[in-house]
Amino acid sequence: MRAGPDTWSPSGPPDPAQQSGPTVLRIVLGTQLRRLREASGITREAAGDAIRASHAKISRLELGRVGFKERDIVDLLALYGVTDAAEREEFLGLARRANARGWWHQHGDILPSWFEMYLGLEQAASVIRTYQVQFVPGLLQSEEYARSVIRVGHQDESADEIDRRVQLRMTRQKMLTEPGAPQLWAVIDEAALSRPFGSPRVLREQLEHLLEMTSMSNVTVQVLPFRFGIHAAAGGPFTILRFAESDLPDIVYLEQLNSAVYLDKRPEVEDYLAVMERVSVQAETPADTKALLREKLAET
């Protein structure tokens, strides 16, 4: 598990990779502002007073959960003693990029805010490791399988809204084939491959799609078979995101029915990394997984 540096560089904030999305840039900028505040011995309450806001807003800014107003950045930099014009401009430039809207904002009316944050992190991750027990991971779903899964969770929505949700999921998947694509490593419980969503044809097409995806150099798929019984990931599904930016620690994403939890504290993340390592050892190898997928395809 890696973590960002704990010291501030006099040369100003790091220049994250240009492909980083606004969510990651907000977190990077917020982290740097927190370090400046702490190095100056200034409380959140005092920082809040400087920008005519509460300490709670300072906390949200430092966690990268809200956008940045340039006036607030200017006032905070003055409070923290950052007077060099070039350094201040670097911060302001980063803030402008962090305030950009991601492609998914056009679907904001059907996306809960807690999932919008995940989309931003997913788009900027360099490595995505996930364990799923009930569904094939969203990034590996075929279109009709995705439609069947989405219908289950949104039974009261119109056909147009379902179509938009399906299109959103398909758009997410495009990043796997783009330059600088992340490494995706998915461990899928055999239960997810045995649970039908839709007709047998839908499941068959999903198995075929999974086999096709395993041919990609940046995609690794392992199946955790029933025969293991209890296993290291018995606590439920989770996803671990790793980033190229040195200021960002790994983040664990835990999705719930109508909310999500994001973990980035070192001990918590290390626990999940250890579980992921153990379940990856317990699961079928990628080669044996392909054979198992072909067997299931023949049975379907």
Side-chain angles (χ1 to χ4, degrees):
M1 158 84 183
R2 62 182 178 81
D6 292 323
T7 56
W8 170 252
S9 168
S11 62
D15 182 18
Q18 289 296 320
Q19 67 267 27
S20 295
T23 303
V24 165
L25 297 181
R26 286 200 306 269
I27 295 173
V28 170
L29 179 54
T31 298
Q32 297 295 358
L33 289 173
R34 174 181 58 78
R35 290 177 183 156
L36 281 173
R37 178 181 60 77
E38 292 175 345
S40 302
I42 296 171
T43 65
R44 286 195 179 94
E45 287 77 10
D49 289 342
I51 63 170
R52 304 150 298 279
S54 66
H55 68 90
K57 180 175 180 180
I58 294 297
S59 178
R60 291 193 295 272
L61 285 172
E62 292 180 349
L63 291 171
R65 293 184 179 167
V66 293
F68 296 89
K69 295 180 180 178
E70 289 196 24
R71 177 184 175 185
D72 291 344
I73 299 296
V74 169
D75 290 344
L76 288 175
L77 292 178
L79 180 66
Y80 302 155
V82 179
T83 58
D84 180 78
E87 187 175 344
R88 290 164 66 90
E89 184 53 38
E90 285 187 53
F91 274 102
L92 291 171
L94 185 55
R96 294 181 196 111
R97 290 170 56 200
N99 286 333
R101 293 170 64 86
W103 61 262
W104 54 89
H105 283 286
Q106 62 184 303
H107 301 283
D109 59 320
I110 61 171
L111 281 176
S113 58
W114 52 264
F115 191 61
E116 282 193 58
M117 182 174 182
Y118 175 76
L119 289 179
L121 294 171
E122 181 183 75
Q123 290 290 310
S126 59
V127 180
I128 302 169
R129 299 185 69 180
T130 187
Y131 167 71
Q132 296 295 325
V133 64
Q134 184 166 344
F135 311 110
V136 171
L139 290 175
L140 298 174
Q141 291 179 4
S142 66
E143 184 168 343
E144 288 308 308
Y145 179 92
R147 188 180 305 277
S148 298
V149 171
I150 289 169
R151 278 177 178 155
V152 171
H154 302 275
Q155 297 182 13
D156 297 330
E157 293 191 358
S158 67
D160 286 343
E161 289 173 318
I162 296 296
D163 285 343
R164 289 183 63 199
R165 291 183 183 278
V166 172
Q167 186 54 49
L168 172 63
R169 190 159 300 181
M170 296 300 102
T171 302
R172 281 173 58 196
Q173 296 178 3
K174 291 180 180 178
M175 69 177 184
L176 293 175
T177 58
E178 293 174 347
Q183 292 288 326
L184 172 62
W185 186 351
V187 178
I188 306 172
D189 196 286
E190 188 175 357
L193 304 180
S194 303
R195 187 183 303 278
F197 284 96
S199 66
R201 175 186 61 80
V202 172
L203 179 57
R204 185 164 56 251
E205 289 178 353
Q206 176 60 67
L207 292 170
E208 291 172 344
H209 182 68
L210 262 182
L211 275 169
E212 182 179 347
M213 296 297 286
T214 60
S215 66
M216 297 173 60
S217 60
N218 61 318
V219 174
T220 300
V221 177
Q222 293 181 264
V223 171
L224 185 63
F226 286 132
R227 69 173 184 273
F228 276 107
I230 195 68
H231 53 78
F238 61 94
T239 298
I240 305 173
L241 303 168
R242 174 164 290 181
F243 308 90
E245 288 76 10
S246 61
D247 263 5
L248 263 67
D250 295 347
I251 294 178
V252 175
Y253 172 74
L254 304 172
E255 186 170 318
Q256 301 171 350
L257 179 62
N258 54 12
S259 63
V261 175
Y262 295 85
L263 305 176
D264 62 359
K265 297 294 187 294
R266 184 187 295 253
E268 296 172 325
V269 175
E270 286 184 341
D271 286 344
Y272 278 92
L273 282 168
V275 169
M276 182 61 83
E277 292 295 338
R278 291 199 296 272
V279 80
S280 297
V281 170
Q282 288 180 304
E284 300 283 11
T285 66
D288 287 343
T289 289
K290 291 182 181 181
L292 189 151
L293 290 173
R294 293 189 185 99
E295 290 176 10
K296 286 192 169 294
L297 188 55
E299 297 169 357
T300 303

